Structures are given as C-alpha cells and as structure tokens.
Amino acid sequence: MNAEHCKAYTLLQEQQIDDIHAHGYLLRHNKSGARVLLLETEDDNKVFNIAFRTPPADSTGVAHILEHSVLCGSREFPLKDPFVELVKGSLNTFLNAMTYPDKTMYPVASTNDADFQNLMHVYMDAVFYPNIYKHDEIFRQEGWSYHLESEDGPLTYNGVVYNEMKGAFSSADDVLERETFNTLFPDTPYGVESGGDPSCIPNLTYENFLKFHQTYYHPSNSYIYLYGNMDMEEKLAWMDEKYLSHFDAKEVKSEIPYQKPFAETLDIVHEYPVLDGDPLENNAYLSYNMVIGSGLDVKLNVAFSVLEYALLDAPGAPVKQALLDAHIGKDVYGSYEDGILQPFFSIVAKNADENEKEKFLSIIRGTLKDIVKNGMDRKAIEAGINYFEFRFREADFSSFPKGLMYGIDVFDSWLYDENKPFAYLQQLAIYDELKKLAKEGYFENLIQTYLLDNTHASIVTLIPKTGLAAENDAKTAEKLQKYKESLAKEEIEKIIADTKELAAYQEEEESEEALETIPLLKRSDIKRESVKLYNDEHEVDGTTVLHHNVFTNGIGYLSLLFDTKNVPNDLIPYMGVLKSVLGYVDTEHYTYGELFNEINAQTGGINCGLQVFRIPENDDDCRRMFGIRAKFLYDKLDFVMKMIEEILNTSRLDDEKRLHEIISSMKSGLQNRLSSAGNATAVMRAASYYSPMSNFQDRIAGIGFCQLLKDLDENFDEKKAELIKNLQILMKYIFRKENLTVSYTADETGYAPLEEKIAAFKENLYTDEVEPGSIVYDFEQKNEAFQTSGQVQYVALCGNFEREGYDYTGALRILRVMLSYDYLWINIRVKGGAYGCGGAFGRGGNACISSYRDPNVGRTLEVYRGIGDYVRNFEADERQMTKYIIGTISELDVPMNPSAKGQTSESAWFNGITEADFQQERDQILDATLYDIHALADLVDAALKQNNICVVGSEAAIQKEKELFKNVENL
Ligand SMILES: [Zn+2]
C-alpha cells in the first residue's frame, strides 16, 4: 500500500513488525480526526474494527446499552435487527460488539472480499447513523423499560441488558471481580460499572442515552483498525468518501485519567448471595489486590504475567502453597488484570474464613519477603517466560481470528497513547530481555516495589449471605410496587399502553424493503468443496499412528489416546479425577512443582483429558478415550516422550495431602463452571438420561461428577484409601499398548522420528493382568432442576430423532441457524428477555434446545414445543433461503489453524466420518429447498416429545414451577 495515494489521510508512522509477520501504518483522517491503524499481512481472514473511547460516568450501563442499540437499525439499513440479518446471511468469521470499562468496539472478520466489504459498511453505518434517535423502542428493548400487562398485574423491569447484567451480578466470582476493580479506582471511570448495575440501570434516561452517543460516537473519538490481505487504499478511500469526510474534527474529552495512588491500603467487606442450606462458615473470599504501574509499560506487564505464573498459578507455586498449607482457603489463585490503563494483580483465597484475613495477609507478605531475600526459583521464572513466549509464537486463538486478537491487543497501548499502537505486537525481544534480567534480580525487585511496598492496594473480603438474591428481588419488587401505587390512573394506563406498543414493535415483521437493504452474497459465491481431512494411517507393530500432515511452523501436536472400554463401571467417574492428577503429583525424579515447571520451560505443555466419540455402527454405546496431549518444537520430541513415561510409570498416586488439594480445587472449579455455563450443564444432564455419550460425560465432567467430588472432598479421610486404590487400578486398565492410538499433527520433517519413539514407548506400558469390565448406562428420565444462588435460569429440552426413525441431514444445520436467529431469538431473547438461546442437532440423532441467562422456565419450554409448528409453517423466498444457507456455511467454514486441522481430522477418523460424509452434508445444505426444511418438522416434534428436561437456575423461579420436575435439588 502506498500512503501517498491516500490524500485524505496523514501517515504518522510506518513499521515492519516481524514478530507477527505484518507491516503496520498509523494514519490520521485529516477532516474528521479519525485514528486509523493498518496491519498488512498475508492472512486472508481479514478484520475490521471500529472502536470508541467510552468512559462511563455512572453505573447505568449506558455504554453497554448503546453497544447493543446501535446494532438495531441505521440510516441505510433500517431494520430492527440488522445484526441478526448479517449473522444469518454473511460468511463472517467473527461478528460481535463488546463493551469494556473504557472502550466499546465493533469488530468483524471474513475471508470473502465482498462479504468483508458488506460487513464494514453495515457496521460503519450502525455506529455513525443508528436509528436510536428515531425509535425509543430500541432503548426500551435493549436497556430497560417498565413492563405492565394489566392494571392489577405486577409492575416489573424488562430489557436485554438489564437481564444480562442481573445474570452477571449473581455469580460470586463476578461480584468479587467487580468490587475489586471499582474500589481500586474510585475517582476514575473504572470506579463505576460500565456494563450496568441492575439497581442503577433504571436511572438511565433516554435523553442521557442519546447524549452519550452524540458525545462519544464521533470519528474524532474513534479508532479504526484494518488487518489482513486486502486493498488497503481502496478501503481508506471508501471510508473517507462514504463516512469520515462527512464529519469535522471536534474535541472529545474521553481521556482515561490515572487514579491517584492511595496513601493506605483499602479494606473492604462486601456480601455475596448463597442459597439456603449453603455453608456460611469457611465460604468467604479473601483477596489482596495491588495496582501495577501503567498498561503502557509492556515489559512490566509481561513480567507480571510471568510472576502470576511463578508465584501462584503453577502447582506448588510458593504463595499458593503457603496459603494452602496454612489452610487459608481451599482454592487459591492469582489474577493479573490488564487491558486497562492501570493493571492490577490479585491474590485470592476461596472458601476461606473471613476472620483469618490478618493471617492471609501475613502469610502472603512473609512468603514474598522470603523470596526477595533468597531469590526466586529460577526454573519457575524460566517456565513462566517460555509459557508466554510459546503462546505468543504459536498465536493459536482457537476459533477466533488471529487478526481480531491483535486488534484487541493494540488497544492496551493505543487507547492510552495514540502514538503507541504497536507496543503489544512486539514481544519477542521482551522475552529475551526478561530471560537476562531474571538473573539480575529484576523479578525480586518487582516483588519488593509493587507487591510489598505498594499502598495503592486493597483487601476485599466477600462474605456469604443467605437469601441476599431474594432480598434484592423483593426490594426491587417493593420499590416498583410503591412506584405503581404513586401513579395516577392515566399514568398506569400509559405504562400498559407502552408495554403493548413495545410488544407490537417487536412483533411487527420486517418489511421486504428493509430486509433487502442488507447486502447478500449469492449461493454461487460459496465454494462447493467441503473440508479436507488429513489422515495418513500408519502402523507401528499393531498400533495405529495417524499422521495429520500439515504445515505447523515447526510445532508438533502429539496425542496419545488410550481406549478405556475395559474400565469397570464403578471406576468410570474416577477417570475424571485421574486426568487432573497425572502431571500434578510428584514423580520419581521431580516434585510436582518441578515437574510442571520443567515441562513448561521446554514445551507448550502436556495435558490429560477424556474424549468421547461415536461408534457409528452402534448407537447404544460410545468410544471413551483417555488422551495425553502435548505441543512442542520438533526437537523436543525426545524430552516429551521421556516426561510422559515419567508421569505414567512413576506418579505418586498415594500422596494423600496432595490428592486432597487437587480434589478441593477441582470441586470449586467445577462448581463454578457448572453454574456459569449453566446451559451446557443442563443440556449434558438432560441428554444423560438417554444418550451414552452424555451419560458418560455427565459422570466424568458434569453434575454427576460434581457429586463424587463433593463426597470425596467432604469425607476425604474415610474415602482416601479407596480413592488411591481406584486411581492405581485405573492406570493398569488404561495405559496398555493394546489400548493405544497415536495422533500427530506435523509436517514430514516433524513426523520422521516419531515411529521409532512410539515403538520404544509401548514397551514401558502396563502389562498386569486385569479383569475386563464395562460401562453400564444408568438411563432414566429424571427431569431435574438444580438450584443455584443465581438469579437467572438455563433451560434445556433434549431428545433423539434417530430413535424415532429419522436420519441426520445437512438441512438440520440450517434449522439450527433458523432457530438461533429467528424463532428462538425472537421468542426467547427478544420477547422472553433471555440473553441467549440455541439448538443443536448431531449425527447420531441428538437434538438439544437450550436457553442462557433466562428469566423464565415454563414459558421457555412452551416456546421449545412450538418449534415443530414453526418449521411446518416456515415460509421463505429464494433470498431468505439463501441467507440461511450462507449463515450455515459460515459456521462450517471457520478458518482453521494447524492444530485445528489436526484435531478435526482426528475426531472425524474416530467418529467414522469421511470427506464424502462432509461433502454430502455440505451439498444438502447448499441445495436445500423449503421442502427440505418442512420435512424436519416431524423429526423435531418426535425428538422433543421425548421430553427430557433439565433446568439450572434460581431457587425462586424453580420453586414457582416445581411441578415441571420430578426432582429438585441444590447444585
Ligand atoms: Zn451485552
């Protein structure tokens, strides 16, 4: 690109950025003052992002509500929901919007040129010319509004963000994070909740909402980012002509000020909600938080990520271990919050006694002082540096486009210094420097300065309180009731009328004319060929070795997969424990801390996991594999095999103290996951009533597993002998050569030495005689509800259509998109007030529908039961069908990095799915007609009629409709 050709812009900086193979340009748009950053790379997964600095002045959530609202229609795209139309009809690889404490961003990504241009166009129009001025319904729908259906009905609040934030305010971890963050920066925008505090959201007026847009959504306050392989000059010219040149530069006061450091450490006590029956003792959170310099100091930031690893994250890390040994909390962890002007470092103990705060502090300080005096563990620092360097080089962000992640990273410096957009894209030199500095006392100095001598710090204690959630709900209801009583008859009638009017607005069909403003690709723009698989099958004396031959930039991804089919039924749940024990207990040559650091200093990590695959010819069973996975530079293969052997052959599975630590921390981690990802939890549980795969997964990772962990943790002394025995027996059942399949992603060079290593490795596996057992599936339709301290529900309904005689077809993937963005979106999200919803239909016949952060239970199930009729009566013209097909293909065509190519090939191989199967599915999608969709109505009805229900959610909501369940208990 030649910046000379872009007369409307001034080139401020230009820089080759070798670390990420990019060429960067920083420009300023002359007339409007917009800041523009370009990263030219060979990546076809192009990214556009427009962001604004949006410091909130209060906790009404105005920035967040605006983020939702500008995507509800604009000048050129006057639909109620162009965002959803885009998702349905675009090949995007990313499309979303995010509110942060100090900025709001609107990123899109696509590999298709025409599509990319369309996405940019809709997003630019949305942020500069939204319909929020024309339709106050948008504010009432996305923000908050009074809801009253009849004169004697209860007055309530409704609103998408209002409900979303009620969900976000109900988890203890969220409460802690928010309280910590807000109180460390009381005099800055970080002192308030940018997402919105449910108790403050109703203070936001429509006028202030509009004013926020007028103030901050101006090019002079914007940050525009373009990444990838495209004609940058053309994009710059288009942005200038179409949008930026229509604005004159103005001064926008949005700078984020530094918080003045505290003279003394702050001490804060706060309550968080727990359920009736949950323990009040040893259930507090203790946290110690320190502000660390400036986000503009990249080296300091990288160093603190390394310190978090070395002091707290690594098993056996000194601060964590000292606290655990003193029984301060059952789970101890660190966190380093960056991406803000003033990052902060936290040390947290969960399930602690609030009266031990002083002890908590003195142990932390004592341990840190010892470290400063005696020096850091060199290996731990080395491991920490390598851990982050490996990830920076690998740049594997799973399904997220690389350019998107870089586009978010640039804000860590760009937002606070407009001349420093590239700072976080260049880290390799910093890793080298840190390796040197580690030998010169650098990290010890950081501990002294920032963790010991720093008074810009806080101690936050969270104390559990029973019924707090219900109390808050009651307070809100009472406030609303009082307000209602204060109203005159006409005012009440007005609210009823407004409620009806909003519902009418939401129900009104989009006009054809409006829908057609959204640019759409043609079916012929989509490529026919489906995904390519990379499975070269080799055999090493009886063992299958799958080689996924792709270019990996010198990194090998190795999986050793052991079939567990002979594991007896009563040992199955213990596999879930074993996978978290191996690699985390002492071995012959290493303590567990040394082991972990040794591995991280030389590789990208070795992990254990359980994976379940279909057995295509037998749907009454599934294939359950125990996997050991490692990633590393090719020349570390020897080292990796040696370490895996060390773990499999010499792990000390009888270390009682260590086992109890692992169990406690697993339990607390799992409990969090189960309630925060309540939709996944509920689906897994509901499907476990009849599906072999889900039944197994529930026992090793779901609610069933959680019950085992709770029992082991609470009755450890009674159960420990049995636990140890079971783990030891499992080793002999699982790690045998006849169970092994190897899967390796690397190019030819990487593969060459593998077979010989595998042959040697097999010789050292277990050969003891064991009595083969087998899994017994305890299928039973339990239709359960699990109560949490949260204020929202996750509602799942599942069934199996193959058992009713229907076959899997690609059209089901289209149905999934139709449900997510049409029927369920409108009925569950827009009208029902849930944050999310979706359906999934798998090969094998599983059909699962679920909602996320949902205020309802029974109503939601009724909506699910209407899916069949919706499908039966579904009408669409060619344009609409094409739109759904494109949306479906875009879900399939997520660009894959090397490790994803290997993973996809591996699971296809195990599941018995061939390239031809994928091609058939793709053809069924591309050629789908309305007839094919209608044919799914009976299939859906048949599956959902099986009526497998599970709900995770608030006590109040579940109790109100408890007749829906056979069994209700606390999660
Ligand atoms: Zn939101």
Side-chain angles (χ1 to χ4, degrees), residues 316-334:
V319 174
K320 177 193 195 131
Q321 200 57 45
L323 288 168
L324 288 176
D325 288 346
H327 301 286
I328 307 282
K330 294 220 163 160
D331 190 18
V332 171
Y333 57 89

Side-chain angles (χ1 to χ4, degrees), residues 12 14 103 122 230 418 466 482 591 670 894 945 959:
L12 304 173
E14 183 178 345
K103 61 190 169 279
V122 176
M230 73 185 94
E418 59 183 35
T466 312
K482 276 212 182 107
T591 65
L670 183 64
V894 179
K945 231 178 244 153
Q959 286 301 329

Side-chain angles (χ1 to χ4, degrees), residues 290-349:
M290 295 134 279
V291 174
I292 310 296
S294 161
L296 288 165
D297 189 339
V298 183
K299 185 170 82 184
L300 184 67
N301 271 280
V302 175
F304 262 92
S305 298
V306 172
L307 272 179
E308 186 200 326
Y309 171 97
L311 295 176
L312 284 139
D313 289 353
V319 174
K320 177 193 195 131
Q321 200 57 45
L323 288 168
L324 288 176
D325 288 346
H327 301 286
I328 307 282
K330 294 220 163 160
D331 190 18
V332 171
Y333 57 89
S335 83
Y336 185 59
E337 282 305 315
D338 54 5
I340 46 179
L341 177 61
Q342 293 171 278
F344 61 94
F345 187 84
S346 298
I347 299 169
V348 183

